């Protein structure tokens, strides 16, 4: 049944690095599960919780093992811009709570990476930009606060394209992150650091942000689960705004369950974000446990629409076959898969770039060097603005500010911004129609798997075109779940490819349920990158 | 929760006293607000003295051939407890950067959340100005760079203001010829205030104070319906009255709670197209509104009549209070492009009919309604304007009437002795200890003959300064008027017998000294003798035995 899925070619050389296996690694996982290479991913969060509560391990031990792994992997990956210096202390606090028999939150001891455009009070928050170099926010973003309140531990701030503008993490002002599956390739972007860190098991789960695909595309490139929630599901308070009407904070994990648990913690109305919704997020985990995996058709009756426009020319054959393999798998599970057409689909890309650039030109106005961030000394006011912004912003950000300023200018507003808004309305409508007929929609996440660092750096149009599969979902404000579904040739062991599942607004629970069943029944694929494969294998012996 | 979060943040010393310096060029960093240490909340009435600018005299004749077109943009700072989009309070005159938070500082990641009072106040003002309300409006971003604008954009309303197409009625002061006027209101919209720049003494650097950033404003744009300085100043004064009656702003011009920018153009009478309009800023009182406009009109008329109409250019001019003239502040370099677009961080503003109705039903009596009511009570326009001008005076008057006081007498007391006291002591009617009930009592006591008018006046000042009740004071000081015939007769007899010489003079025909006797009797009675009765008895006695 999975014949169309390409398995990682195990014969290829495993890792280009000589990693010394560490004994402390993954004692948790070894205690609970015997994961052979084909076993489905299990929830690291739930496993850890059981181990902590049964005193089989401590949060401190876990944190130490992650620090060890970080010290080995980080020099090759560069996923993090800052590592928390209170990590062990935070872990000890959790251990003390457990020792005392106090209640601990659902993220007790869970090591969470946070994209650096999400504000944290205890670590710098630079947004990947020189203009905010060493900037320290005086408050935690709401999502971060909620993670901490549920006893999650922040491990560090992850690398990104400057202010989220980019698809490769190459546009970071500070460093380029490598893809754990092939260090010569990009991890995707803009949340490349968060995706790479989860993929390489540098943290258990992480927060990213998704304005046009910035959680989903790196999830696909790095072979992890990425969830872009419905617009309004998660408070944006503390997320450095790129395009306010499109931005959402999203989650990465190595399993659908972990991603869902993290979303559950961070979602919900926030009085500091007027666009946050008070729609309830149902307890999706209980649905997970009730699934009878023995049942041959656990998704019987589920109507799945495969978006025709996402499988046209320009999409790699490997990606196409992975997606059709995933579609077959869904059929095996009882779904009815039909092709659906979204006629306005191709209009999404230009509309997205106009709206996102317009909003970003406004949102980034506050970085003027007057109150915070890097200021260039100048003799008069305009020079202060010009020099601070010219030196503080990278070329990609400058280009988008210029495009957005142009689109909003008098005389052009109607032709660009207003028209793009009209397209947005059309796209919303076509998604609504398609989701009235189908439970979920599926598509690839990107036209290709991870490409080489530098490959598209000088070809912004090619890079923008890569966002075609994801931007429409932001324009429509819908939730989408990306999970690894196969491999294509490339790199030492093959490159992962993700499947995008799009649901109706505020129906994340359905996506998580379908995703979980899909993931648990997908045979023969194990999405652990070579950089850590040995460690994990060793610790499980 | 919110306030705790922000309060914690406010203790960050680095962030909250930013001494960000930059140099200014050509005095371009002009700050419209005059900083003033005065914090009096005294009513500003349009005390407009007719000034005699010699230049005005010269061109008085020419002015007759021209007509001025004046429109006013008024910014009213709302007296909400917290700012428009965050939980910071605003206190005028507070130490710089002590009432700020991540939201009003425009820190990365901070988001605005609308204070619902702003909507309520906007609806109140829209209704009070007879506007049509937009049941679906929204906020927009107005974008420009300036150090007092932390986000690089101002949250405002662009194409759909919350209220539009209204008008305001007012009565011009009697001393300026009086007359009723109706001026159109183009629109009322909600926006946030910017911070303030504090310029160094030698002009080499400026500092930013963000206390005011994010304070809610209503911008009121008038139709170009005013024709001279008085009309414009009275329009502004009426806006001040309306916002004070509504209780949505203290309307204080010195503190910048009410700010007026006026646009002035002239055209020869009979011409239909408008002339080039000039904007005037820095108007800190109604009288400066009046004088600045009249100066500007004569400046423009002079240029135009000398064939130099071309040198009237679209520009922003500054009123210089000291020199009593307007000077160029900055020439407009084409239209500024603010690149407005809908604010994505805030939901649309949707008004429900029930909400608007409930506000409509709770509106207080507005100045125009009050003036018409006073007029119908038989008061002169001068009285009407005096009483209705200040909401607190009007409230005092209404309460006095409600206690049953005679309308005309109450008016006279308030406009006479009470007003004189307030003027001398520079206090408002809320500061005096006299309460309406006691003023009514005082009036009744005089009218009923319990005390004389003279004693009434004495008691009044006691009541104003120390409070207490009329009855208590009368009792305490034993001030009840003597109306007993025999008692007064006894006193008259006593005075006459003690002044035989004067009596003789009187009887010899010097009848003028009757007043002397009256005074002696009054003195004897300690002022309490009823003057009518006294005089009647005195006359009888004086004339009886002659």
């Amino acid at each position: 049944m999975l014949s169309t899925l390409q398995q990682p070619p195990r014969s290829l050389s495993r890792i280009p690095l000589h990693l010394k296996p560490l004994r402390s690694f993954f004692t948790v996982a070894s205690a609970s599960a015997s994961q052979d290479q084909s076993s489905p991913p299990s929830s690291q969060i739930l496993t850890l919780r059981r181990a902590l509560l049964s005193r089989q391990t401590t949060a401190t031990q876990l944190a130490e093992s992650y620090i060890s792994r970080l010290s080995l992997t980080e020099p090759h990956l560069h996923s993090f811009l800052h590592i928390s210096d209170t990590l062990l202390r935070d872990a000890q606090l959790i251990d003390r709570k457990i020792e005392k028999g106090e209640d601990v939150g659902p993220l007790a001891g869970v090591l969470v990476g946070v994209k650096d455009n999400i504000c944290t009070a205890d670590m710098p928050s630079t947004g990947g930009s020189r203009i905010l170099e060493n900037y320290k926010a005086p408050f935690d973003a709401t999502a971060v606060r909620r993670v901490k309140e549920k006893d999650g531990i922040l491990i560090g701030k992850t690398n990104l394209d400057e202010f989220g503008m980019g698809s490769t993490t190459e546009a970071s002002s500070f460093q380029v992150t490598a893809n754990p599956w092939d260090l010569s390739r990009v991890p995707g972007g803009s949340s490349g650091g968060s995706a790479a860190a989860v993929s390489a098991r540098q943290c258990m789960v992480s927060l990213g942000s998704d304005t046009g695909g910035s959680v989903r595309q790196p999830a696909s490139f790095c072979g992890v689960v990425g969830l872009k929630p419905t617009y309004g599901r998660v408070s944006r308070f503390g997320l450095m705004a790129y395009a306010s009407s499109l931005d959402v904070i999203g989650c990465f994990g190595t399993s659908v369950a972990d991603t869902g648990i993290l979303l559950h913690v961070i979602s919900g109305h926030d009085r500091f974000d007027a666009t946050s919704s008070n729609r309830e997020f149902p307890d999706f985990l209980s649905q997970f446990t009730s699934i009878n995996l023995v049942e041959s058709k656990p998704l019987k009756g589920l109507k799945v629409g495969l978006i025709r426009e996402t499988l046209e020319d320009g999409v790699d054959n490997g990606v196409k076959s992975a997606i059709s393999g995933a579609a077959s798998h869904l059929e095996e599970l009882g779904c009815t898969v039909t092709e659906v057409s979204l006629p306005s689909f191709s209009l999404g890309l230009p509309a997205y770039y106009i709206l996102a650039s317009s909003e970003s030109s406004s949102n980034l106005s506050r970085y003027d060097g007057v109150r915070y961030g890097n200021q260039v000394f100048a003799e008069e006011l305009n020079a202060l603005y010009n020099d601070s912004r010219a030196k503080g912003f990278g070329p990609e950000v400058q280009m988008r500010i210029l495009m957005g300023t142009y689109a909003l200018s008098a005389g052009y507003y109607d032709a660009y911004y207003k028209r793009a808004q009209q397209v947005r309305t059309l796209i919303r409508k076509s998604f609504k129609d398609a989701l009235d007929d189908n439970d979920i929609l599926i598509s690839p996440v990107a036209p290709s798997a991870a490409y080489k660092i530098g490959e598209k750096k000088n070809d912004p149009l090619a890079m923008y075109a890569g966002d075609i599969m994801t931007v429409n979902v932001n324009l429509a404000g819908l939730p989408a779940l990306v999970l690894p579904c196969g491999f294509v040739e490339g790199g030492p062991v093959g490159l992962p490819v993700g499947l995008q599942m799009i649901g109706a607004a505020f129906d994340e629970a359905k996506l998580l349920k379908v995703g979980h069943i899909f993931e648990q029944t997908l045979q023969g694929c194990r999405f652990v990158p070579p950089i850590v494969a040995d460690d994990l294998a060793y610790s499980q012996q | 929760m919110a306030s705790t979060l922000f309060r914690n943040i406010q203790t960050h010393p680095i962030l909250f006293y930013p001494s960000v310096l930059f140099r200014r060029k050509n005095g371009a960093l002009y700050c419209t607000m005059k900083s003033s240490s005065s914090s009096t909340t005294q009513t500003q009435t349009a005390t407009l003295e007719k000034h005699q600018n010699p230049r005005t005299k010269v061109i008085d004749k020419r002015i007759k051939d021209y007509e001025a077109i004046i429109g006013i943009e008024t910014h009213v700072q709302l007296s909400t407890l917290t700012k428009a989009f965050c939980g910071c309070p605003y206190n005028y005159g507070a130490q710089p950067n002590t009432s700020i938070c991540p939201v009003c500082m425009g820190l990365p990641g901070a988001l605005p959340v609308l204070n619902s009072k702003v909507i309520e106040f906007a609806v109140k003002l829209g209704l009070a100005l007879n506007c049509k309300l937009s049941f679906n409006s929204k906020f927009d971003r107005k974008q420009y760079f300036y150090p007092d604008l932390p986000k690089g954009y101002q949250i405002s309303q662009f194409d759909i203001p919350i209220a539009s197409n209204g008008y305001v009625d007012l009565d011009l002061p009697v001393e300026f010829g009086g007359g009723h006027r109706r001026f159109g209101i183009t629109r009322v919209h909600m926006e946030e205030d910017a911070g303030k720049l504090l310029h160094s003494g030698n002009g080499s650097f400026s500092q930013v104070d963000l206390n005011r950033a994010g304070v809610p404003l209503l911008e009121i744009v008038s139709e170009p319906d005013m024709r001279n300085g008085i009309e414009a100043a009275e329009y502004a004064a009426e806006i001040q009255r309306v916002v004070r009656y509504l209780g949505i702003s203290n309307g204080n011009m010195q503190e910048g709670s009410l700010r007026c920018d006026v646009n002035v153009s002239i055209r020869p009478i009979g011409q239909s197209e408008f002339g080039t309009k000039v904007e005037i800023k820095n108007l800190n009182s109604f009288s400066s509104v009046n004088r600045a406009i009249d100066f500007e009109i004569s400046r423009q008329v002079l240029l135009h009549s000398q064939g130099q109409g071309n040198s009237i250019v679209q520009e922003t001019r500054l009123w210089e209070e000291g020199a009593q003239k307007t000077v160029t502040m900055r020439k407009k370099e084409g239209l500024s492009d603010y690149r407005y677009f809908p604010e994505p961080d805030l939901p649309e503003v949707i008004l429900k009919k029930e909400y608007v109705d409930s506000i409509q039903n709770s509106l207080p009596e507005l100045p125009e309604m009050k003036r018409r009511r006073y007029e119908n009570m038989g008061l002169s326009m001068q009285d009407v304007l005096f009483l209705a001008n200040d909401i607190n005076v009007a409230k005092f008057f209404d309460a006095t009437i409600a206690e049953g006081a005679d309308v005309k007498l109450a008016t006279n007391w308030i406009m006479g002795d009470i007003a004189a006291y307030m003027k001398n002591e520079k206090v408002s009617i809320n500061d005096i200890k006299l309460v309406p009930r006691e003023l009514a009592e005082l009036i009744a006591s005089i009218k009923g003959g319990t005390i004389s008018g003279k004693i009434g006046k004495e008691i009044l000042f006691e009541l104003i300064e120390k409070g207490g009740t009329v009855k208590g004071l009368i009792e305490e000081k034993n001030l009840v008027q003597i109306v007993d015939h025999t008692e007064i007769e006894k006193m008259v007899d006593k005075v006459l017998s003690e002044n035989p010489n004067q009596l003789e003079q009187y009887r010899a025909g010097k009848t003028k000294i009757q007043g002397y006797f009256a005074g002696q009797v009054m003195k004897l009675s300690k002022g309490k003798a009823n003057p009518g009765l006294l005089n009647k008895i005195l006359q009888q006695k004086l004339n009886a035995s002659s």
Side-chain angles (χ1 to χ4, degrees):
Chain A
M1 96 181 183
L2 295 166
S3 55
T4 52
L5 287 176
Q6 300 176 21
Q7 292 192 16
R10 300 297 300 179
S11 56
L12 290 172
S13 72
R14 304 193 59 194
I15 15 173
L17 305 163
H18 300 288
L19 285 177
K20 198 177 73 174
L22 285 157
R23 266 182 300 120
S24 55
F25 280 2
F26 250 65
T27 48
V28 176
S30 61
S32 64
S34 60
Q35 280 191 322
D36 64 57
Q37 68 162 67
S38 63
S39 74
S42 59
S43 165
Q44 292 190 69
I45 295 177
L46 294 177
T47 308
L48 171 66
R49 188 173 184 78
R50 277 193 296 270
L52 286 176
L53 294 181
S54 61
R55 310 291 202 273
Q56 286 175 304
T57 190
T58 64
T60 312
Q61 281 177 327
L62 183 87
E64 280 167 347
S65 76
Y66 270 81
I67 290 170
S68 307
R69 187 178 304 133
L70 264 173
S71 65
L72 288 173
T73 51
E74 189 55 13
H76 306 285
L77 291 178
H78 309 290
S79 323
F80 285 92
L81 291 174
H82 326 279
I83 300 287
S84 168
D85 47 19
T86 60
L87 191 56
L88 287 175
R89 207 173 66 207
D90 296 344
Q92 283 157 6
L93 282 177
I94 301 295
D95 286 335
R96 218 163 298 150
K97 264 187 166 180
I98 293 170
E99 273 166 35
K100 284 192 215 154
E102 289 175 27
D103 282 345
V104 286
L107 293 185
V110 173
L111 299 165
V112 184
V114 177
K115 191 177 180 180
D116 204 33
N117 61 351
I118 301 173
C119 291
T120 49
D122 304 328
M123 281 182 274
S125 305
T126 67
S129 179
R130 192 68 68 188
I131 207 161
L132 286 182
E133 197 170 7
N134 301 323
Y135 172 74
K136 220 169 157 185
F139 60 91
D140 277 326
T142 300
V144 169
R145 179 172 55 80
R146 288 179 175 167
V147 164
K148 285 173 153 182
E149 280 168 5
K150 301 295 179 191
D151 291 329
I153 298 172
L154 304 192
I155 187 164
K157 303 298 290 291
T158 60
N159 195 25
L160 69 160
D161 291 298
E162 186 175 4
F163 290 116
M165 299 181 187
S167 309
T168 62
T169 316
E170 290 165 288
S172 164
S173 296
F174 304 108
Q175 63 195 34
V176 175
T177 299
N179 190 317
W181 292 85
D182 175 355
L183 298 179
S184 68
R185 290 177 190 266
V186 298
S190 61
S191 314
S194 287
V198 168
S199 171
R201 275 62 175 174
Q202 294 179 314
C203 58
M204 280 191 179
V205 288
S206 62
L207 296 178
S209 69
D210 191 316
T211 306
S214 286
V215 162
R216 290 161 288 157
Q217 183 252 26
S220 177
F221 280 18
C222 293
V224 296
V225 180
L227 177 58
K228 176 229 173 274
T230 312
Y231 183 81
R233 178 64 99 184
V234 179
S235 167
R236 291 184 292 119
F237 186 79
L239 169 65
M240 294 174 190
Y242 160 18
S244 313
S245 74
L246 302 162
D247 293 341
V248 285
I249 291 180
C251 315
F252 292 98
T254 50
S255 66
V256 173
D258 283 354
T259 318
I261 292 168
L262 183 56
L263 176 65
H264 197 251
V265 166
I266 63 172
S267 64
H269 179 69
D270 177 17
R271 46 182 296 211
F272 296 126
D273 176 2
T275 62
S276 70
S277 163
N278 45 21
R279 291 275 288 269
E280 272 209 23
F281 187 33
D283 176 19
F284 65 98
L285 272 181
S286 61
Q287 296 189 31
F288 281 15
T289 50
S290 70
I291 293 162
N292 182 359
L293 292 177
V294 186
E295 195 188 324
S296 59
K297 308 270 185 204
L299 294 176
K300 196 163 191 291
L302 192 86
K303 287 192 277 186
V304 175
L306 176 59
I307 304 172
R308 183 183 301 146
E309 287 79 4
T310 60
L311 291 169
E312 289 173 349
D313 291 347
V315 181
D316 285 2
N317 285 333
V319 171
K320 279 187 193 168
S321 74
I323 297 305
S324 55
S328 310
H329 181 51
L330 284 167
E331 281 177 336
E332 297 274 342
L333 294 168
C335 301
T336 326
V337 181
T338 49
E339 274 199 3
V340 294
S341 174
L342 297 177
S344 50
F345 197 83
S346 63
L347 301 175
L349 201 61
Y352 168 79
Y353 272 98
I354 286 169
L355 294 176
S357 305
S358 298
E359 290 186 25
S360 71
S361 74
S362 172
N363 284 327
L364 270 56
S365 299
R366 67 184 60 195
Y367 306 113
D368 57 7
V370 172
R371 295 168 310 287
Y372 47 80
N374 279 334
Q375 182 185 62
V376 175
F377 179 82
E379 280 298 316
E380 51 93 25
L381 184 60
N382 279 332
L384 179 143
Y385 283 143
N386 292 344
D387 296 351
S388 299
R389 287 167 68 82
K391 294 213 170 96
F393 290 138
E396 182 66 32
V397 169
Q398 291 187 13
M399 180 161 70
R400 294 198 196 191
I401 290 174
L402 288 175
M403 289 198 299
T405 305
Y406 181 84
L408 288 176
S409 297
Y412 297 99
Y413 180 85
D414 286 357
Y416 293 107
Y417 185 86
K418 209 170 162 190
R419 215 166 150 73
Q421 283 290 23
Q422 290 163 346
V423 168
R424 185 174 188 174
T425 308
L426 285 179
I427 287 170
R428 266 207 197 113
K429 171 90 173 50
S430 70
F431 266 106
K432 190 174 181 308
D433 292 346
L435 283 163
D436 282 346
D437 298 336
N438 293 281
D439 290 295
I440 61 166
L441 304 175
I442 57 168
S443 79
V445 185
S448 71
Y451 39 87
K452 294 275 186 185
I453 290 170
E455 191 179 327
K456 297 194 181 173
K457 212 178 173 187
N458 298 317
D459 190 358
L461 283 181
M463 197 175 73
Y464 294 175
D467 298 335
I468 179 99
M469 317 285 188
T470 47
V471 292
N472 280 281
V473 177
N474 296 80
L475 290 170
L478 299 174
L481 179 69
V482 164
L483 63 173
C485 69
F487 289 89
V488 298
E489 293 281 350
V493 296
L495 298 168
V497 172
L499 169 72
Q500 175 171 238
M501 296 179 175
I502 303 161
F506 297 102
D507 204 3
E508 285 89 351
K510 186 186 282 168
L511 292 177
L512 290 168
K513 183 181 163 185
V514 176
H516 177 66
I517 294 172
F518 182 95
E519 155 196 279
Q520 296 300 315
T521 53
L522 188 66
Q523 301 293 313
C525 289
R526 184 160 177 252
F527 296 95
V528 177
I531 192 168
V532 286
D534 274 357
D535 287 331
L536 298 189
Y538 179 85
S539 65
Q540 281 157 19
Q541 279 164 10
Chain B
M1 189 80 129
S3 49
T4 3
L5 171 69
F6 289 145
R7 245 163 242 149
N8 287 340
I9 293 162
Q10 283 183 6
T11 58
H12 270 259
I14 346 160
L15 284 165
F16 287 81
Y17 298 93
S19 58
V20 175
L21 313 179
F22 49 84
R23 289 166 190 282
R24 65 172 170 171
K25 187 189 188 183
N26 307 332
L29 297 189
Y30 176 71
C31 177
T32 49
M33 291 319 308
K34 221 181 185 181
S35 52
S36 154
S37 56
S38 135
S39 61
T40 56
T41 50
Q42 241 185 302
T43 319
Q44 292 163 1
T45 51
T47 43
L48 308 162
E49 289 149 40
K50 269 198 175 165
H51 74 120
Q52 286 297 315
N53 189 325
R55 204 170 130 181
T56 317
K57 271 183 187 165
V58 177
I59 56 167
D60 256 354
K61 222 166 57 197
R62 290 173 191 156
I63 279 184
K64 288 197 189 82
D65 302 332
Y66 290 89
E67 142 179 87
I69 311 290
I70 301 157
I72 305 188
E73 278 172 27
T74 312
H75 287 89
V76 175
Q77 216 172 52
L78 299 181
S79 54
T80 48
L81 290 176
T82 55
K83 293 184 183 180
F85 302 111
C86 64
C88 294
Y90 174 63
N91 297 309
Y92 177 80
Q95 280 294 307
N97 296 318
T98 52
S99 194
I100 52 175
C101 73
V103 177
C104 55
M105 280 184 79
L107 293 192
L111 294 170
V113 176
L114 178 63
N115 177 348
S116 61
K117 276 278 167 194
V118 177
I119 304 275
E120 184 189 321
F121 286 7
V123 169
K124 276 186 175 169
L125 186 63
L127 292 171
L129 296 178
N130 308 292
C131 289
K132 194 173 156 289
L133 295 178
S134 306
F135 281 79
N136 288 289
S137 70
K138 62 182 169 80
F139 285 97
D140 300 279
R141 290 184 182 176
K142 177 182 182 177
Q143 318 199 55
Y144 61 94
F145 283 96
Y146 205 61
D148 65 7
L149 190 71
K151 299 188 293 297
Y153 56 84
Q154 177 194 31
I155 302 178
S156 180
Q157 292 195 291
F158 178 48
D159 50 344
I160 313 175
I162 190 157
S164 52
N165 291 321
Y167 59 85
V168 62
D169 285 312
L170 54 87
D171 294 283
L172 294 180
V174 181
E175 58 270 34
F176 293 104
H180 186 267
R181 294 283 189 281
R182 173 170 288 186
F183 298 127
I185 303 288
T186 312
R187 59 185 279 164
V188 176
H189 74 249
M190 304 177 277
E191 61 184 29
E192 58 176 339
D193 211 341
K196 247 186 217 177
L197 293 185
L198 309 168
H199 303 298
S200 69
N202 60 5
S204 64
F205 64 90
S206 300
Q207 291 172 297
V208 186
D209 172 12
L210 293 178
N211 279 350
R212 206 179 63 178
V215 171
L217 299 177
L218 291 177
E219 179 176 326
I220 307 152
V221 181
S222 81
E223 288 290 301
D225 288 348
M226 282 68 81
R227 294 290 171 267
N228 55 45
I230 293 296
E231 289 188 351
E234 277 305 313
Y235 163 85
E238 184 68 8
I239 295 293
Q240 183 190 57
R241 280 189 282 273
V242 170
V243 299
R244 285 182 174 174
Y245 270 56
L246 292 171
I248 61 174
S249 169
N250 69 24
N252 196 316
M253 281 187 101
Q254 273 90 41
E255 291 180 9
S257 307
L258 188 135
R259 317 198 272 270
C260 294
D261 299 334
V262 304
N263 285 297
V264 182
S265 68
I266 56 148
R267 64 185 173 193
I269 284 173
Q271 180 183 308
S272 60
E273 63 265 30
F274 295 110
T276 305
K277 102 188 148 176
V278 169
E279 186 180 6
I280 312 174
K281 285 182 180 284
N282 195 32
L283 302 169
N284 294 329
S285 68
F286 297 126
S287 87
S288 49
V289 169
N290 177 27
R291 281 175 285 125
I293 288 173
D294 285 348
F295 174 88
E296 184 60 23
I297 292 172
S298 28
R299 187 186 72 89
Q300 291 185 21
V301 165
L302 195 66
L303 286 169
H304 202 279
S305 62
Q306 290 171 346
Q308 295 175 344
N310 292 345
S311 47
I312 305 171
V313 290
Q314 197 177 338
E315 61 176 341
T316 301
R317 295 178 73 85
L318 214 58
W319 172 245
E320 285 193 346
E321 192 69 48
Q324 293 284 302
K325 61 177 189 175
T326 65
V327 294
T328 297
M329 174 179 151
R330 58 165 179 255
K331 308 256 184 212
K332 292 257 158 143
E333 295 154 356
L335 271 178
S336 2
D337 185 355
Y338 291 118
R339 304 192 311 281
Y340 281 100
F341 80 103
E343 166 59 279
D345 287 332
L346 292 167
E348 289 186 338
V349 179
I350 293 166
L351 301 178
K352 293 227 169 67
K353 193 176 173 298
E354 306 86 77
Y355 175 77
V356 173
D357 287 347
S358 74
I359 290 178
Q360 175 90 63
N361 295 333
S362 67
L363 283 184
E365 186 182 39
L366 293 163
E368 174 65 7
M369 291 145 80
K370 207 166 269 274
R371 287 190 296 263
R372 297 287 79 84
R373 181 163 64 83
Y374 289 171
E375 210 175 18
N376 291 335
M377 286 159 76
L379 296 176
S380 74
M381 185 48 72
Q382 193 144 10
D383 296 353
V384 167
L385 291 181
F386 181 88
L387 293 172
N389 187 40
D390 180 336
I391 172 90
N392 295 318
V393 172
K395 275 183 184 158
F396 192 95
F397 173 73
D398 286 341
T400 309
I401 302 303
E403 293 287 343
D406 177 271
V407 169
K408 190 61 204 170
L409 291 175
T411 309
N412 290 346
W413 279 102
I414 292 172
M415 290 185 61
D417 293 313
I418 297 176
Y421 179 87
M422 295 188 324
K423 199 175 170 193
N424 286 338
E425 304 292 321
K426 295 192 171 65
V427 292
S428 89
I429 203 154
N430 290 354
D431 300 327
I432 65 173
K433 300 238 166 61
L434 172 71
V435 295
R437 172 197 284 270
E438 293 311 313
L439 178 59
E441 181 70 32
L442 186 70
I443 292 168
S445 300
I446 296 167
K447 210 176 178 187
T450 316
I451 52 170
S452 66
K454 188 164 172 286
I455 286 187
K457 229 174 215 195
E458 283 171 31
I459 295 181
L460 178 79
F461 289 109
E462 186 122 8
L463 290 168
I464 288 177
E465 276 170 358
K466 296 182 185 144
T469 65
V470 175
K471 280 202 173 108
L473 280 175
I474 291 173
E475 216 163 278
E476 182 189 313
K477 305 201 168 196
N478 191 21
L479 295 174
V480 180
Q481 188 164 239
I482 303 163
V483 287
D484 181 32
H485 195 277
T486 9
E487 206 174 323
I488 293 176
E489 200 173 349
K490 270 186 205 157
M491 287 190 275
V492 171
D493 288 343
K494 189 163 184 263
V495 166
L496 292 182
S497 65
E498 280 171 3
N499 295 283
N501 291 343
Q502 284 82 350
L503 184 61
E504 213 165 292
Q505 284 174 22
Y506 179 91
R507 290 190 173 148
K510 204 173 174 187
T511 51
K512 270 198 279 180
I513 61 167
Q514 185 186 337
Y516 168 77
F517 292 112
Q520 292 300 310
V521 176
M522 197 51 98
K523 201 173 164 192
L524 193 63
S525 76
K526 292 187 181 121
K528 293 185 292 183
N530 179 301
L533 202 54
L534 185 154
N535 275 318
K536 199 175 137 204
I537 296 170
L538 181 63
Q539 200 144 20
Q540 279 170 6
K541 294 268 173 185
L542 285 171
N543 300 334
S545 12
S546 61

